[in-house]
Amino acid sequence: MQPPNAEQLLSGGGGLAEAVLGVTDTLVVVLDPQGRVVRFNPACQRLTGLTEDAVRGQVLWPFVLDPEEVPGVMTVFAALTAGDFPGRYENHWRAAGGQRRYILWSNTALLDAAGQVSLVVATGMDITAERAAEQARQETEARFRAVFDQSADGLVLLDPHDPQVPWRIVDCNAAFGAMNGYTCGELVGQSIDLLHPTPLMRDEGERLLAWIRAEHPVQGEGEHRHKDGHVFPIETASSLVMVGGREHVLGQDRDISERRRAHAQLEALAAQMAHAAQHDALTGLPNRTLLLDRLHLELRRVGRSGRAVAALFIDLDGFKRINDTLGHDAGDDLLREVARRLQGAVRPADTVARLGGDEFVAVIPDLGGPADAARVAARLQAALEPAVTLGGSAVTVRSSVGIALHPPDSAQPADLLRQADLAMYQAKREGKNAVRFFAPTLDVAAHTQLSIEGHLRRALDAPQTGGLHLHYQPQVDARTGQLVGLEALVRWTDQFLGAVSPARFIPVAEDSGLIQPLGAWVLNEACRQAAAWGLRVPVAVNVSPLEVSQDDFIAGVYATLRRHGLSGPALKLELTERLAVRDLHLAARRLSQLRALGVHLSLDDFGMGQSSVSTLLHLPVDELKLDRSLITGVADSALDQRVVGALLALARGLQLRVVVEGVETGAQLAALRDLGCEVVQGYLTGRPAPPEALNALVQSMNTEL
């Protein structure tokens, strides 16, 4: 069969060729040398929505091309008609729906008898999908390349199958090179083992590749050797990728040196915090938390060993005086020295802890019994005895030690520690610088004290219904019997405990911190009653040393006086010698401030063994109260008379008034008059009584004055 000539194509004949043009999906368009359409096969019609009749004889370009593509097509067409037959060309055709389709053309020309181009035949394929896929692939590759190149993490592409170079570096980004101290050019083509401290991939490459295939991706940590030689830790993630149909490994590495350093710092900080949570900041000794842990451990061991464990509670005698006299810095130095000495006096297996303040505890395991514990206590006291130089002053440290021993004492850590504490307080009560063992009677006393504390606390919350009240005892002129003052004495009748002696509840109030609210209530109630009576003589109120040590004590006294419309001379405060002995400088400052308010000041319990003339010289007091123990035999004992006479002479020399308390017989009163005593107080001249029992006496005195 002959191929169709120009006449056959123009007439639409051609047999098989014509049939093929009708059924093929290939675009076939025949143009004359001027670009007019000669044939426009069905595939072209389906794509464009144009019929062959509509375009036949018309220049093709305006029907199928966007204006910007026309010049390029015309250039190609001109080359064809001039005899230059480019085989392939691509452009866009407008489809029936308005979208643009990407067409790949194969072009040829039909010549006439003279050898001139008579027709141009173009066959085209719609490759829009292929071009879109290719563009997407290129864009994906571009994005990947951008991510690869710009990633802050080090990225490396490895060929694990190179027979010459184990795990050859095919490509890497700048971050990977910089992390390892190389340029990418220095790394590409090298084995990744260049960066390993050991030839890891040479020795373990097959196993690692199998692991990556099985897990895909895998993560872990490793080490790289920097170009300068130092080794640093990395975090790595590896996955399989196909490049050119060949299996490769893509690695993503990150230098975690800073993370490791931060982690090490956090671990060190955690260790410091854990140490701080279990140790005393000042001395470095274990604190209460760690002490209880170790005591618990030793108590568990006791059952297996058949031996004993002791808790020794150590409290420094007179530490507050050292702190107040030499300052807190000196006190801290002393505590550190005490800690050092105590640690040096025990075995490595023993524990010395500081609970706070000047309280220390030693846990001593593996003892034979009380005698061993007593020897340890004596050794600890002896270690503290040598003088310590603080601020240029030599200070001697004494201590009170309480011992609880299991067995037989408690097997519970907190209870054993509490029992040792009770024993230590017993040592202090019996004169200090002593050692005492815990006894069950101390526990009973402690529970009694707790019971009293609880009831007293509730009584202070509601004094009127809690049973707190005041009695008043007259202070009278020894010659005339005239009332010169009233001493307010606190009394307490509890609903459950009954009448509780001040000798029982005042020490409890001091130990528990309730002395401040109790003292404030007594002062306020006494001033209220004095104002209600219109009292013309001072009302005396006992004050605890703990109250005077409070910074707001002076302001509290002033506010109470103002609240009830009283002036300073209406009040007398009686202070025990313990205040002067323990806190001489503080006492002097506070008492001077009270004197400035006009308040009378009396030193109570004088002559009980703690007094000294030098103490009196430093205190701005107005009055001495001689303790009742001094006048027991004054009526018939020449020695007692000389003692009392000497004290009265001392007071007169210091221009101090004297009140003698505890006067119970006429003979005592007569003896005191003969000695020149001015004011007395006792059952003989007036028992303590409630306010209503004294109304007549007060009114009579007010009338006389």
Side-chain angles (χ1 to χ4, degrees):
M1 176 181 296
Q2 297 295 321
N5 55 30
E7 288 78 7
Q8 290 174 318
L9 289 173
L10 291 173
S11 64
L16 180 59
E18 184 65 23
V20 171
L21 289 178
V23 299
T24 183
D25 288 331
T26 300
L27 305 177
V28 180
V29 60
V30 181
L31 304 175
D32 67 14
Q34 286 74 42
R36 293 188 292 263
V37 177
V38 175
R39 294 299 307 271
F40 199 71
N41 80 329
C44 291
Q45 297 174 49
R46 288 192 298 271
L47 176 67
T48 63
L50 301 171
T51 66
E52 189 175 40
D53 291 340
V55 297
R56 184 180 291 119
Q58 305 293 323
V59 175
L60 177 63
W61 332 129
F63 291 96
V64 296
L65 299 179
D66 288 338
E68 61 271 17
E69 292 206 52
V70 171
V73 171
M74 291 181 67
T75 299
V76 173
F77 188 75
L80 282 170
T81 56
D84 185 7
F85 304 146
R88 302 172 71 85
Y89 179 72
E90 297 178 8
N91 65 4
H92 293 90
W93 269 26
R94 287 195 302 270
Q99 69 273 29
R100 300 167 77 241
R101 308 297 295 180
Y102 207 84
I103 312 299
L104 173 61
W105 297 100
S106 294
N107 306 312
T108 188
L110 297 180
L111 304 178
D112 59 15
Q116 298 296 313
V117 174
S118 61
L119 293 174
V120 174
V121 179
T123 58
M125 296 181 60
D126 185 346
I127 58 170
T128 303
E130 290 80 354
R131 282 292 181 265
E134 174 66 17
Q135 183 177 1
R137 184 187 63 78
Q138 292 175 352
E139 290 175 353
T140 299
E141 289 182 354
R143 286 194 298 270
F144 174 79
R145 188 76 234 182
V147 171
F148 188 87
D149 290 339
Q150 298 174 17
S151 173
D153 289 337
L155 299 178
V156 59
L157 187 65
L158 303 170
D159 182 356
H161 303 293
D162 192 309
Q164 303 299 322
V165 182
W167 291 66
R168 178 172 54 86
I169 299 174
V170 176
D171 198 0
C172 68
N173 67 353
F176 183 84
M179 179 176 69
N180 294 285
Y182 295 90
T183 65
C184 289
E186 291 175 306
L187 291 174
V188 171
Q190 299 288 332
S191 169
I192 192 66
D193 277 342
L194 173 68
L195 305 178
H196 293 151
T198 61
L200 177 67
M201 308 316 292
R202 187 193 68 187
D203 298 339
E204 301 289 337
E206 289 299 323
R207 185 182 62 81
L208 292 174
L209 182 59
W211 178 42
I212 296 171
R213 285 171 177 162
E215 300 294 333
H216 187 58
V218 298
Q219 294 181 338
E221 293 185 1
E223 291 181 330
H224 273 190
R225 185 185 299 279
H226 194 272
K227 186 178 182 179
D228 65 13
H230 82 271
V231 176
F232 61 95
I234 63 165
E235 179 182 71
T236 182
S238 300
S239 56
L240 291 177
V241 294
M242 300 302 293
V243 179
R246 185 180 176 88
E247 186 180 54
H248 286 68
V249 173
L250 178 65
Q252 181 176 359
D253 296 344
R254 180 176 298 171
D255 183 347
I256 56 172
S257 299
E258 288 299 327
R259 185 195 303 176
R260 288 278 181 87
R261 279 191 287 270
H263 183 68
Q265 290 171 352
L266 287 175
E267 285 186 334
L269 179 60
Q272 291 173 3
M273 293 177 65
H275 184 275
Q278 295 186 320
H279 289 78
D280 172 53
L282 178 65
T283 64
L285 293 177
N287 62 12
R288 186 184 189 88
T289 300
L290 184 55
L291 171 69
L292 290 173
D293 284 345
R294 293 188 178 175
L295 187 54
H296 177 73
L297 178 64
E298 296 300 343
L299 287 169
R300 290 180 61 186
R301 290 175 176 167
V302 165
R304 298 190 296 270
S305 68
R307 305 278 284 173
V309 58
L312 283 69
F313 204 110
I314 306 149
D315 187 270
L316 305 184
D317 297 332
F319 176 73
K320 186 177 187 303
R321 175 177 55 82
I322 295 172
N323 234 7
D324 292 341
T325 303
L326 300 179
H328 289 287
D329 289 343
D332 289 347
D333 289 341
L334 175 60
L335 292 174
R336 282 189 283 264
E337 177 62 17
V338 167
R340 188 188 66 79
R341 292 186 181 187
L342 291 176
Q343 279 188 304
V346 299
R347 302 166 300 181
D350 302 332
T351 297
V352 176
R354 178 179 177 233
L355 299 189
D358 59 339
E359 294 179 337
F360 296 83
V361 172
V363 174
I364 313 296
D366 195 28
L367 296 176
D372 288 348
R375 281 192 289 271
V376 174
R379 188 165 68 246
L380 293 175
Q381 285 188 314
L384 298 180
E385 283 183 1
V388 181
T389 301
L390 299 172
S393 301
V395 177
T396 301
V397 180
R398 297 287 185 266
S399 61
S400 298
V401 182
I403 303 174
L405 188 73
H406 175 77
D409 298 329
S410 178
Q412 299 301 315
D415 282 345
L416 191 69
L417 195 60
R418 179 182 59 82
Q419 290 169 344
D421 190 14
L422 290 174
M424 182 274 294
Y425 272 106
Q426 184 66 20
K428 280 192 173 294
R429 281 191 290 267
E430 294 179 5
K432 302 181 179 180
N433 195 33
V435 177
R436 292 292 179 269
F437 280 86
F438 171 77
T441 53
L442 296 179
D443 224 352
V444 173
H447 280 90
T448 300
Q449 179 167 330
L450 284 175
S451 176
I452 292 174
E453 179 185 339
H455 285 277
L456 181 58
R457 194 177 298 275
R458 287 189 288 273
L460 286 169
D461 289 338
Q464 301 305 321
T465 60
L468 287 171
H469 53 284
L470 295 185
H471 282 189
Y472 297 85
Q473 186 173 29
Q475 297 175 340
V476 301
D477 188 295
R479 297 286 179 186
T480 66
Q482 183 180 10
L483 182 70
V484 296
L486 289 171
E487 181 180 3
L489 301 168
V490 63
R491 297 291 184 264
W492 180 32
T493 304
D494 185 74
Q495 179 181 358
F496 301 99
L497 302 177
V500 185
S501 167
R504 291 184 68 195
F505 72 80
I506 293 297
V508 172
E510 290 182 331
D511 288 343
S512 63
L514 294 176
I515 194 65
Q516 283 87 7
L518 177 61
W521 179 83
V522 171
L523 178 64
N524 184 74
E525 180 62 17
C527 289
R528 184 199 65 78
Q529 185 61 58
W533 274 331
L535 194 63
R536 307 286 293 276
V537 295
V539 61
V541 176
N542 288 280
V543 178
S544 163
L546 295 176
E547 294 178 80
V548 180
S549 67
Q550 298 301 305
D551 292 338
D552 59 352
F553 176 70
I554 306 299
V557 171
Y558 179 66
T560 302
L561 290 170
R562 291 195 60 186
R563 185 182 306 121
H564 299 291
L566 300 177
S567 61
L571 177 65
K572 176 166 54 174
L573 296 181
E574 296 189 0
L575 308 112
T576 66
E577 284 186 293
R578 287 185 298 134
L579 172 71
V581 172
R582 286 169 41 186
D583 306 286
L584 182 59
H585 299 288
L586 175 64
R589 290 196 303 272
R590 295 285 166 84
L591 297 186
S592 295
Q593 292 173 306
L594 289 168
R595 282 285 297 274
L597 296 176
V599 176
H600 301 284
L601 300 173
S602 177
L603 189 59
D604 200 4
D605 300 329
F606 190 79
M608 291 184 65
Q610 300 184 49
S611 311
S612 70
V613 175
S614 62
T615 297
L616 288 176
L617 292 175
H618 283 87
L619 295 177
V621 296
D622 309 293
E623 175 184 280
L624 295 182
K625 288 191 75 175
L626 300 189
D627 186 72
R628 67 180 65 243
S629 63
L630 296 174
I631 66 164
T632 302
V634 73
D636 47 23
S637 169
L639 177 61
D640 285 358
Q641 290 173 7
R642 286 197 299 272
V643 170
V644 173
L647 291 175
L648 291 173
L650 171 66
R652 283 192 291 271
L654 296 175
Q655 298 183 338
L656 299 176
R657 187 169 66 171
V658 176
V659 176
V660 178
E661 58 183 345
V663 179
E664 298 181 350
T665 67
Q668 289 175 332
L669 178 59
L672 291 171
R673 285 173 177 167
D674 292 342
L675 292 171
C677 178
E678 300 175 354
V679 181
V680 295
Q681 177 181 343
Y683 283 1
L684 179 67
T685 57
R687 290 176 174 269
E692 55 271 18
L694 297 173
N695 283 337
L697 175 64
V698 171
Q699 293 305 320
S700 173
M701 181 270 298
N702 286 343
T703 300
E704 291 175 3
L705 293 178

